[in-house]
Amino acid sequence: MKKFLTALQLVITLLMVLFLVVPVLMSMLAGVTDNYAHGWRSGLTLRWVQQVWELYHGAIGLSILIALATLAITLVVGVPAGYALSRSRNRLARWLEGLMVLPVAIPGLASALALLVMYGSLTAFRTSAWFIVVGHVIFTLPFMVRSVTAICLGCDLKTLEEGAASLGATFWQRFTTVVLPNIRPGILAGALTVVTLSIGEFNLTWMLHTPTTQTLPVGLADAYASMRLEIGSAYTLIFFVMIVPLLTVLQSVSKPTGQQRGQRTNRMKQDQTA
Amino acid sequence: MKLDAIDITLQGCAKHYPNGHRALQPTDLSIGAGETLVLLGPSGCGKTTMLRLIAGLESPDAGGRILFGSDDVTRRSIEHRQVGMVFQNYALFPNMSVRQNIAYGLRIRKAPAAEIKRSVDELLALTRLTDFADRSIAQLSGGQRQRVALARALAPQPRVLLLDEPLTALDTQLREHVRGEMDRLLRQLGVTTVYVTHDQAEAMALGDRIVVMSAGRIEQIGAPREIYHRPANLAVARFIGTISQIDGDWTEQGLLCRGGLLPAPAGTPPLRQFWLRPEDAIVVPPELAHLRGTVAQAVFLGERTRLSIAGLSNEPVTVDITGRFAPVVGDAIGIQIRPEAWQANLTYAEAA
Ligand SMILES: Nc1ncnc2c1ncn2[C@@H]1O[C@H](COP(=O)(O)OP(=O)(O)O)[C@@H](O)[C@H]1O
Ligand SMILES: [Mg+2]
């Protein structure tokens, strides 16, 4: 009976995965098919991929630049903010935390509209890629801050810092020798989330973009809407080649390392004895 | 290794936490140079708060002053107080090896590399960690972590050593062993030490003097024997060791209780109850005894047997006898009281 249930579970899981993955695979396959209407027998080709690259490499490059700029800003703002939030557990801190999640909770279209109303008249800014970067920062910052706050609390950073201070370390010495090395996994996980979200973001970006500031997902929509199916599919293929490695790394770094897990169980033991 | 010893003075140090909780009542305390002072008390009585005040991790309420020797350090933050601190959970740096942890304080001080190496090697040897120098913290046992924490605190040659329940995280077997080592080490170093614990055995084994605390107040300060045998009040007596109450009525001859008449020394003021430590009773044949009861429970603890005796008073009375003696529950038993036990009872009567 138990064996049967396990088998059933496996089959259902596999079916679900197939249900989700097959269309994506089909789509990517379509991107390298000579003529989709005639099926794969018409032959495989990289022609479409090449065409997409020629038409949209600007958008792809811009997406990467925007993602990096977004990352840089969320690092500079988010890491200190997350650290500070973990230190002050008062009402103001919790209120700020809630406020920051707002852009994630409300639809991207709405935040974009707010930005347009606010800064739309500053033409130079509005037509530059920085306008999109600002949108992405607003959308991704909470993820960086959350990730950093969580690890600061998780590795009991306050006590580690007190230990360093008792040994004579000033704030900056503590920050560079104790804080940063110990929260690095959290920063890394946050960074990958930010980059992944930024590269894939469509709602907000679509509202904010101009013909000269087209990003990868916006180009994708354009390709789907106006080109032949094979081109849209080739685009998907390129998107996947870029995003899947990022997701894989994200998975592996956001898992707690063995060392930290050891500490955590130890602390639990102490809590029990105390 | 030998460290310089300075004395520490706390004057009128109280502590309110921002949430309004008063963790420490205004407190005066002098700690002698080179002394090991133990802060003892139940969980939540303010021991850690007092230690953190001395360390500089918290500042006392207005009016409080803390002096290291003649040096007023009240306004000085922890990084400039030159204290060595061992935290309850050790707070070792997980991103550094054992050697790097111990070297941290010297590295921060920008000591020359050769001096750091010499000093760390000496501490590794002193704490028997030489073979573990290059391990990461995650690869150490509890006892080893405790020694790394101690070595790390000692490396920059602190003026004061502050230890917050350093043995609590260890299992019982290890704790007793490490306690012995700690005693040896503290004596060898000669550094002024403040040691926080809620374990009375640890306090008595390690302390030159013990400060018994409860609810943010100091109840008594004294040498371990003094605290144990002449507790200032019942709260202290109850906290240090076991004590049983024998109720009765006062007569000319002594205290008349359910188990018989307990004769009092001449000049004893009238008492309503007698407080008995388990080791202050001597078991004798019932027909020769002042007090008679029956064995309600006998727990064999190896070197001794702990008896709970019914029929002496309203509540069972706890008495220790040698482990070789094996009474059976229900046996009639007689006890005499050691005359010395009266002394503490006079103090309680006075304090009440
Ligand atoms: N940062 C803090 N904020 C508010 N209350 C605290 C804080 N630290 C300790 N307390 C309270 O102060 C009292 C004494 O705490 P503590 O000094 O840690 O006791 P002990 O070390 O003797 O167990 C406790 O009731 C505790 O809850
Ligand atoms: Mg404590």
Side-chain angles (χ1 to χ4, degrees):
Chain A
M1 187 62 196
K2 196 163 174 203
K3 237 183 204 164
F4 171 73
L5 278 180
T6 317
L8 189 70
Q9 204 175 4
L10 191 71
V11 169
I12 292 178
T13 313
L14 277 176
L15 283 177
M16 295 278 285
V17 170
L18 283 180
F19 183 74
L20 292 171
V21 169
V22 165
V24 177
L25 287 178
M26 291 301 287
S27 172
M28 291 200 294
L29 200 59
V32 288
T33 305
D34 195 58
N35 186 335
Y36 191 68
H38 300 152
W40 317 321
R41 267 156 305 158
S42 61
L44 298 180
T45 175
L46 285 175
R47 181 152 51 102
W48 307 124
V49 174
Q50 195 190 348
Q51 208 167 331
V52 167
W53 182 253
E54 273 160 18
L55 281 170
Y56 294 105
H57 69 268
I60 294 169
L62 185 66
S63 258
I64 293 173
L65 286 180
I66 287 177
L68 291 178
T70 306
L71 175 63
I73 296 173
T74 50
L75 279 176
V76 169
V77 178
V79 172
Y83 168 74
L85 276 179
S86 79
R87 291 303 297 259
S88 54
R89 298 272 85 201
N90 57 24
R91 206 172 319 149
L92 180 71
R94 254 168 288 156
W95 190 76
L96 272 174
E97 237 177 345
L99 194 72
M100 229 171 25
V101 187
L102 218 55
V104 183
I106 63 176
L109 293 174
S111 342
L113 196 62
L115 280 175
L116 283 169
V117 168
M118 193 74 190
Y119 304 112
S121 54
L122 306 172
T123 318
F125 178 43
R126 198 254 170 276
T127 52
S128 77
W130 287 109
F131 199 47
I132 296 176
V133 171
V134 168
H136 283 199
V137 167
I138 290 177
F139 176 64
T140 56
L141 189 62
F143 294 92
M144 177 63 85
V145 174
R146 281 266 161 125
S147 182
V148 171
T149 306
I151 197 161
C152 286
L153 294 173
C155 69
D156 199 5
L157 204 59
K158 182 162 176 284
T159 319
L160 291 183
E161 269 198 80
E162 287 182 350
S166 76
L167 294 162
T170 59
F171 177 79
W172 280 112
Q173 289 173 320
R174 299 199 292 268
F175 197 76
T176 52
T177 58
V178 174
V179 175
L180 283 181
N182 283 299
I183 67 173
R184 205 173 48 192
I187 298 179
L188 217 56
L192 280 155
T193 312
V194 167
V195 170
T196 314
L197 285 174
S198 169
I199 287 185
E201 211 295 322
F202 175 73
N203 279 350
L204 203 142
T205 318
W206 184 74
M207 283 283 282
L208 298 181
H209 90 281
T210 62
T212 56
T213 56
Q214 206 176 37
T215 67
L216 201 133
V218 174
L220 191 62
D222 188 51
Y224 288 162
S226 59
M227 309 266 168
R228 49 186 298 168
L229 181 68
E230 289 86 348
I231 293 198
S233 301
Y235 206 128
T236 312
L237 189 64
I238 290 180
F239 189 78
F240 258 75
V241 168
M242 289 184 57
I243 211 89
V244 167
L246 266 178
L247 285 175
T248 316
V249 183
L250 181 65
Q251 276 286 319
S252 63
V253 297
S254 50
K255 263 183 240 148
T257 61
Q259 198 178 351
Q260 282 172 336
R261 220 173 309 148
Q263 275 171 6
R264 221 162 285 162
T265 45
N266 242 299
R267 198 160 322 116
M268 267 151 47
K269 256 185 250 154
Q270 281 162 6
D271 288 346
Q272 280 159 12
T273 50
Chain B
M1 189 170 176
K2 182 104 185 119
L3 297 177
D4 293 335
I6 56 154
D7 55 298
I8 300 174
T9 315
L10 271 67
Q11 291 172 354
C13 285
K15 181 67 191 174
H16 276 88
Y17 280 111
N19 64 2
H21 182 81
R22 188 168 202 176
L24 201 63
Q25 307 287 330
T27 301
D28 297 309
L29 183 65
S30 324
I31 307 168
E35 174 179 48
T36 299
L37 187 86
V38 175
L39 302 181
L40 175 68
S43 187
C45 72
K47 308 180 294 290
T48 298
T49 301
M50 177 109 89
L51 197 73
R52 289 172 68 87
L53 284 178
I54 300 172
L57 286 168
E58 306 283 354
S59 47
D61 294 348
R65 292 216 311 155
I66 299 167
L67 298 122
F68 285 7
S70 55
D71 183 10
D72 187 335
V73 297
T74 316
R75 304 255 152 268
R76 208 172 298 165
S77 62
I78 182 166
E79 51 267 41
H80 302 116
R81 280 200 195 182
Q82 270 182 277
V83 295
M85 184 132 181
V86 173
F87 293 79
Q88 194 164 356
N89 61 6
Y90 306 143
L92 297 174
F93 307 128
N95 57 318
M96 299 178 203
S97 69
V98 169
R99 176 180 287 283
Q100 288 167 330
N101 262 277
I102 299 175
Y104 187 84
L106 294 169
R107 207 182 92 207
I108 287 297
R109 239 147 275 217
K110 303 199 166 58
E115 188 198 318
I116 295 182
K117 175 151 176 30
R118 188 193 50 73
S119 173
V120 172
D121 283 339
E122 186 188 347
L123 280 160
L124 283 167
L126 190 71
T127 49
R128 296 185 295 100
L129 285 165
T130 309
D131 294 342
F132 305 96
D134 297 313
R135 290 223 190 157
S136 82
I137 300 306
Q139 294 168 315
L140 299 180
S141 72
Q144 290 161 350
R145 284 177 202 208
Q146 191 270 339
R147 301 206 301 269
V148 177
L150 189 61
R152 185 182 73 172
L154 290 172
Q157 310 229 328
R159 295 194 285 177
V160 190
L161 189 58
L162 305 170
L163 306 144
D164 194 354
E165 313 225 10
L167 306 186
T168 304
L170 309 180
D171 55 56
T172 325
Q173 280 276 309
L174 193 60
R175 205 179 302 170
E176 215 153 293
H177 173 72
V178 177
R179 195 174 75 194
E181 285 196 348
M182 184 82 94
D183 192 36
R184 174 182 61 82
L185 197 63
L186 291 181
R187 278 177 212 294
Q188 183 191 337
L189 294 169
V191 64
T192 310
T193 305
V194 183
Y195 188 109
V196 165
T197 180
H198 66 262
D199 179 348
Q200 34 152 326
E202 215 170 288
M204 288 193 269
L206 291 175
D208 291 320
R209 283 193 305 155
I210 298 176
V211 175
V212 184
M213 297 179 60
S214 90
R217 281 181 353 105
I218 294 181
E219 295 282 351
Q220 186 175 8
I221 305 177
R225 280 170 200 283
E226 189 182 333
I227 299 268
Y228 188 81
H229 292 299
R230 288 199 301 284
N233 54 47
L234 213 54
V236 174
R238 279 203 174 115
F239 188 71
I240 308 246
T242 307
I243 198 159
S244 317
Q245 181 177 5
I246 302 176
D247 306 300
D249 294 313
W250 188 253
T251 67
E252 293 290 295
Q253 295 83 34
L255 191 70
L256 185 63
C257 49
R258 269 176 65 192
L261 179 75
L262 183 61
T268 308
L271 298 177
R272 305 281 306 165
Q273 68 276 98
F274 183 85
W275 298 94
L276 180 70
R277 292 267 193 214
E279 69 277 18
D280 282 338
I282 310 159
V283 172
V284 294
E287 58 278 13
L288 302 177
H290 290 138
L291 301 176
R292 283 170 293 278
T294 54
V295 176
Q297 197 185 27
V299 182
F300 177 56
L301 296 170
E303 80 282 8
R304 66 205 153 99
T305 301
R306 174 153 285 196
L307 301 181
S308 182
I309 302 176
L312 290 181
S313 174
N314 301 330
E315 298 289 318
V317 171
T318 305
V319 166
D320 280 349
I321 54 172
T322 160
R324 303 225 173 260
F325 188 52
V328 175
V329 171
D331 275 359
I333 195 163
I335 60 167
Q336 304 282 75
I337 307 290
R338 287 184 202 280
E340 303 92 299
W342 279 97
Q343 195 180 13
N345 274 278
L346 298 182
T347 334
Y348 308 146
E350 247 169 60

